[in-house]
Amino acid sequence: MRTSGKMKKMQKQILSKNQQIIFDLIEKSSEPLKAYAILFNVQKKGIKAPLQVYRALDKLVEIGKIHKIESRNAFIACHNSSCQVAKATAFSICEICEKVTEISSAGLSKYLANFKDKDGMKYSKYNLEFFGLCKKCR
Ligand SMILES: [Zn+2]
Ligand SMILES: [Zn+2]
């Protein structure tokens, strides 16, 4: 029996040039970025077509490098390794200063992963947003 001897390990996700530019932009931002702000910024770097930007954003969301904050229609870089690649994301959002933080709670991720409702509906994806006041605004 021949074995190749090379087990495929977790591949490091290689980003395309556009994806990398957009990811860097989102990661460096101190607040979630809206698509038009991303578009405006990357146009200076040579990505002119909105479609290219939206495609790259979709892909980055899909692989869990960034998340979409639905209520703000904005994007934020992932800072929680236990969010299980975009299947269960949770954010806290301050209603005054609009500060958005990814909630990093292994307990919550685990709870959501096993959560079923009584009608037997099994959920495959969660995107939770908790609203309140941050320390500074209280
Ligand atoms: Zn995340
Ligand atoms: Zn605040």
Side-chain angles (χ1 to χ4, degrees):
M1 197 174 92
R2 280 168 60 107
T3 52
S4 73
K6 266 187 194 168
M7 288 276 288
K8 264 203 175 172
K9 285 265 158 63
M10 276 278 285
Q11 276 179 327
K12 196 170 176 284
Q13 191 76 43
I14 296 162
L15 301 179
S16 73
K17 189 167 158 266
N18 287 357
Q19 289 164 2
Q20 190 66 54
I21 289 169
I22 290 166
F23 176 69
D24 287 345
L25 184 72
I26 294 169
E27 201 185 27
K28 282 185 193 114
S29 170
S30 57
E31 54 182 12
L33 288 177
K34 292 190 188 285
Y36 69 78
I38 294 167
L39 194 58
F40 177 79
N41 272 285
V42 299
Q43 278 179 336
K44 289 183 261 174
K45 295 189 166 76
I47 310 173
K48 301 281 184 218
L51 193 64
Q52 284 182 297
V53 175
Y54 296 130
R55 263 201 215 120
L57 285 169
D58 280 350
K59 186 68 190 170
L60 288 167
V61 168
E62 191 191 311
I63 62 179
K65 296 284 281 181
I66 63 170
H67 301 306
K68 188 173 183 191
I69 311 293
E70 297 290 344
S71 67
R72 297 292 181 269
N73 200 21
F75 297 89
I76 190 171
C78 178
H79 291 294
N80 171 20
S81 55
S82 61
C83 74
Q84 301 173 327
V85 192
K87 283 198 183 69
T89 52
F91 299 93
S92 75
I93 301 171
C94 176
E95 290 178 298
I96 294 178
C97 71
E98 300 264 308
K99 184 181 160 59
V100 176
T101 314
E102 183 163 5
I103 297 172
S104 182
S105 161
L108 184 64
S109 297
K110 205 176 157 197
Y111 177 79
L112 292 175
N114 295 312
F115 178 76
K116 280 183 219 148
D117 71 18
K118 57 183 187 307
D119 298 322
M121 177 81 185
K122 184 114 173 62
Y123 301 103
S124 54
K125 215 171 127 188
Y126 307 88
N127 190 7
L128 304 178
E129 299 180 5
F130 296 89
F131 299 88
L133 299 178
C134 75
K135 261 189 203 158
K136 267 194 250 161
C137 297
R138 270 202 301 265

